Amino acid sequence: MSRYLEIYWLMIRNSLIREMNFKANFLLWIIVEFLWFVGQMVFLEVIYAQVNNVAGWSKWECVLLIGTHQITSQIFQAFFYVNLAELPELVRTGRLDLMLLLPVDAQFAVSTRKFGMDNIINVLVGVGVVVFCLAKLHVVPTALQIALYIVAIGFGVAIHYAVLFGLATAAFWIVRAQGLIYGYFNVFNIARIPESVFPYSLFKIIFTYFLPVIVVANVPAITLARSFQQPWTGLAQLAFGAVFIVAITRGFWRFALRRYSSASS
Amino acid sequence: MNFAKYVKVFDIGLQNTFVYRWNFLLRSVFGIVPLIGAVFFWKAIFQSKGGGINGYDYSSMIFYLMITVFLENLITPTEDEWQIAAEIRDGKISSYLTKPMNYLGYRIVLFLSYRLLYIAVVLVPIIVLAWIFRDHLRMPEHAITWLAFALSTAMAAFLQFFIAYALAMIAFWVLEISTIVFILYSFEFFLSGHVFPLDIMPAWLQGFIHWSPFTYELFFPAQVFMERVQGADLAKGLAIEAGWLLLAWLSARVLWAKGVRKYQAVGG
């Protein structure tokens, strides 16, 4: 275990050094994220100029949900996104062979090569947004709520990771899996929608338990800011969903590796 | 002008893209998830409002979302800008420069062949969706609408393509263009009407929306089909769209000419 931590620390250090060579790019990525946030805010402003709640959620609760989604997805992107997005290319070119030869777990090797510092800035912006919303809502969360919020975010990051990892692993069968990366962004689009919007349906069951994107930001947001709603069912669903999808994608990856025959070698 | 060679390029484009048919299908299936999310979200909004919003009700909102999804699949370039930028960066365009073929023409033909194949694959999920939402879809009442819709959609396709092309030209000067592409994406995402119809925005923004090029990438053709813009306004909108199209085409040409002059064929 400590060996893995040591390797990981070296990877992070390398990434930081590499990224500081492209400072302009670094700033531009922060601007991109900022623009997305502004766009979503404009949308909510337009909606809440018409209504005062959507399926029981007030404006600032919705913003808090978006901020929570921002925190979760940006933590995931900081640590894993680039690595997983590059996995299809590693498979296509056969460079995956090098990773498989390393004396560490293959999934660890392909998941942790690079680290995105700009995403950490965006995480901090997300935290700022959430705190601001709490103030607007006049909610002071208890220590237990904050602790559960952090645990829930951890499960959320695991879900983000597993979904993209599963999609990227499909690259063993589908040449050029770029379309699958769009799949990730498309699917997580609904994570920013209040869960009460979705009626009880097959759609909701699938996206709660098996591809748990509905719960990924909703559960932590409810836990933190909607204390009148009991959080335990949601937290259990989130934990179940996270464990399920991490296990499934890990199995899928091992299955894919077994039939991997490399390219051009 | 010899069209035969461009027909050949079209054929090659189709064959190359055919390899990615599963990619297309998966992409469109995943693309449906946010649409369903949006439908439920709007349902909750209209329930809470208990009435229409700026001339939209639940039914026409679904109709609007369906048209934009269809248009997006039909006309939005998906990988063209990345491919062009990569060809410039890796020095691959050297081989095109020696061919008796215009690179822009070559790229337009490839774009058309991609779109044709893409929509052919994606039509299946779209038809399923259209059937599910059949009660909310309304065909235009006037025959002329079809013509105006076809015209505005064709112009929107080329407007989007020339913008993507002009953007990819930046690769002549900058190694890594993905940040710039994503900045444009974020503007397009919200200002083209992909998330919500632009006419529900506050009145003080409508002047900007009227003149913004992004409006004509998706929102305007959708409005034409829904017959929410007619008569003189329709003519004016088409004129503005044509103006932007001309401007985008010119910038694509100028940037290419300037870029090629500076081009050093790295690794080519």
Side-chain angles (χ1 to χ4, degrees):
Chain A
M1 189 63 201
S2 76
R3 187 170 66 110
Y4 278 84
L5 282 177
E6 202 178 315
I7 295 172
Y8 199 41
W9 171 241
L10 281 174
M11 298 281 192
I12 290 180
R13 228 188 55 166
N14 274 343
S15 298
L16 285 184
I17 294 168
R18 192 167 35 212
E19 237 176 291
M20 281 304 120
N21 289 328
F22 302 100
K23 290 197 189 67
N25 226 27
F26 177 80
L27 286 174
L28 281 172
W29 276 122
I30 294 173
I31 293 175
V32 171
E33 277 303 323
F34 181 72
L35 284 174
W36 277 93
F37 187 73
V38 170
Q40 292 177 49
M41 278 309 295
V42 171
F43 179 52
L44 286 183
E45 285 295 337
V46 169
I47 298 302
Y48 281 96
Q50 303 284 341
V51 296
N52 56 21
N53 80 85
V54 175
W57 287 59
S58 69
K59 179 168 110 185
W60 291 110
E61 284 173 332
C62 265
V63 179
L64 187 133
L65 178 65
I66 291 176
T68 303
H69 178 66
Q70 166 103 344
I71 296 172
T72 316
S73 66
Q74 293 294 327
I75 292 177
F76 158 70
Q77 294 197 16
F79 289 95
F80 304 113
Y81 175 74
V82 184
N83 307 306
L84 298 184
E86 283 175 358
L87 180 58
E89 203 54 19
L90 291 179
V91 175
R92 199 175 69 87
T93 55
R95 275 186 288 147
L96 181 66
D97 300 7
L98 272 177
M99 303 278 132
L100 297 180
L101 287 172
L102 297 176
V104 290
D105 180 77
Q107 184 173 356
F108 176 80
V110 299
S111 304
T112 56
R113 296 179 304 133
K114 291 179 190 167
F115 172 81
M117 191 60 203
D118 51 327
N119 300 110
I120 295 299
I121 309 279
N122 293 324
V123 172
L124 297 177
V125 173
V127 172
V129 169
V130 168
V131 171
F132 183 78
C133 291
L134 286 174
K136 278 279 177 191
L137 292 164
H138 306 292
V139 169
V140 183
T142 62
L144 176 67
Q145 278 175 305
I146 295 174
L148 288 175
Y149 183 72
I150 294 170
V151 171
I153 294 249
F155 280 124
V157 173
I159 292 170
H160 276 267
Y161 169 80
V163 170
L164 189 59
F165 184 63
L167 288 171
T169 302
F172 282 91
W173 287 270
I174 302 167
V175 249
R176 279 250 227 150
Q178 268 90 343
L180 298 171
I181 307 295
Y182 285 93
Y184 160 79
F185 285 105
N186 274 330
V187 168
F188 276 92
N189 219 310
I190 58 172
R192 289 168 302 198
I193 299 177
E195 54 88 29
S196 53
V197 158
F198 301 102
Y200 190 74
S201 57
L202 186 64
F203 184 83
K204 189 164 191 175
I205 293 171
I206 291 175
F207 289 102
T208 299
Y209 294 101
F210 304 109
L211 197 57
V213 285
I214 291 181
V215 285
V216 79
N218 268 288
V219 168
I222 290 168
T223 307
L224 190 68
R226 289 165 72 94
S227 40
F228 50 87
Q229 210 171 330
Q230 65 89 7
W232 302 109
T233 322
L235 284 167
Q237 285 170 339
L238 183 67
F240 170 83
V243 170
F244 173 79
I245 197 155
V246 167
I248 284 280
T249 51
R250 169 93 181 158
F252 182 43
W253 159 256
R254 299 182 73 132
F255 172 67
L257 270 191
R258 230 174 299 138
R259 68 173 296 285
Y260 174 67
S261 56
S262 187
S264 68
S265 57
Chain B
M1 184 92 183
N2 179 4
F3 279 107
K5 61 190 177 194
Y6 288 102
V7 172
K8 191 69 203 158
V9 170
F10 190 80
D11 185 38
I12 293 170
L14 281 184
Q15 292 183 23
N16 276 341
T17 330
F18 198 62
V19 180
Y20 305 127
R21 58 197 181 280
W22 287 109
N23 220 334
F24 290 172
L25 195 65
L26 280 171
R27 196 174 167 146
S28 68
V29 168
F30 284 125
I32 292 172
V33 176
L35 177 71
I36 296 176
V39 167
F40 282 129
F41 193 55
W42 280 108
K43 189 169 196 169
I45 290 167
F46 283 111
Q47 260 166 10
S48 167
K49 171 86 177 174
I53 296 176
N54 290 17
Y56 288 92
D57 57 9
Y58 174 59
S59 215
S60 53
M61 189 58 79
I62 288 184
F63 186 32
Y64 174 82
L65 292 172
M66 278 299 298
I67 299 174
T68 48
V69 163
F70 171 72
L71 280 175
E72 219 184 358
N73 282 301
L74 183 68
I75 64 177
T76 302
T78 40
E79 278 173 25
D80 303 70
E81 60 265 58
W82 303 109
Q83 289 177 0
I84 297 169
E87 286 186 345
I88 294 171
R89 199 184 47 222
D90 304 340
K92 280 195 191 128
I93 58 157
S94 302
S95 72
Y96 298 108
L97 291 175
T98 61
K99 282 177 191 155
M101 197 181 275
N102 177 326
Y103 186 70
L104 180 59
Y106 167 75
R107 271 290 157 189
I108 289 176
V109 174
L110 276 188
F111 168 63
L112 293 177
S113 70
Y114 288 170
R115 291 337 301 162
L116 182 72
L117 199 72
Y118 194 91
I119 199 68
V121 173
V122 166
L123 212 54
V124 178
I126 285 184
I127 288 174
V128 171
L129 272 181
W131 186 79
I132 294 172
F133 294 126
R134 63 191 175 282
D135 294 340
H136 306 293
L137 310 184
R138 277 200 334 270
M139 288 301 119
E141 284 172 21
H142 310 288
I144 187 80
T145 302
W146 287 98
L147 190 70
F149 176 65
L151 183 64
S152 63
T153 303
M155 286 203 286
F158 282 101
L159 176 62
Q160 291 205 26
F161 174 76
F162 287 132
I163 290 176
Y165 185 90
L167 204 66
M169 290 300 116
I170 296 174
F172 278 116
W173 291 271
V174 185
L175 265 183
E176 181 54 50
I177 67 155
S178 55
T179 39
I180 301 167
V181 172
F182 275 111
I183 287 181
L184 187 83
Y185 277 178
S186 13
F187 280 108
E188 281 183 334
F189 192 74
F190 293 102
L191 294 178
S192 71
H194 171 98
V195 191
F196 54 85
L198 299 175
D199 49 354
I200 65 165
M201 297 263 257
W204 59 272
L205 269 171
Q206 292 304 325
F208 168 77
I209 287 167
H210 189 63
W211 291 103
S212 142
F214 303 116
T215 306
Y216 297 89
E217 291 190 355
L218 278 182
F219 176 70
F220 182 69
Q223 293 292 291
V224 172
F225 194 74
M226 292 178 82
E227 295 181 322
R228 288 175 69 94
V229 49
Q230 284 174 325
D233 287 338
L234 176 62
K236 199 176 159 205
L238 287 171
I240 298 175
E241 189 177 10
W244 278 118
L245 176 60
L246 191 70
L247 205 66
W249 174 69
L250 281 176
S251 14
R253 301 268 326 231
V254 169
L255 283 169
W256 166 262
K258 277 194 193 290
V260 167
R261 217 170 302 141
K262 191 189 166 286
Y263 178 61
Q264 292 171 330
V266 184

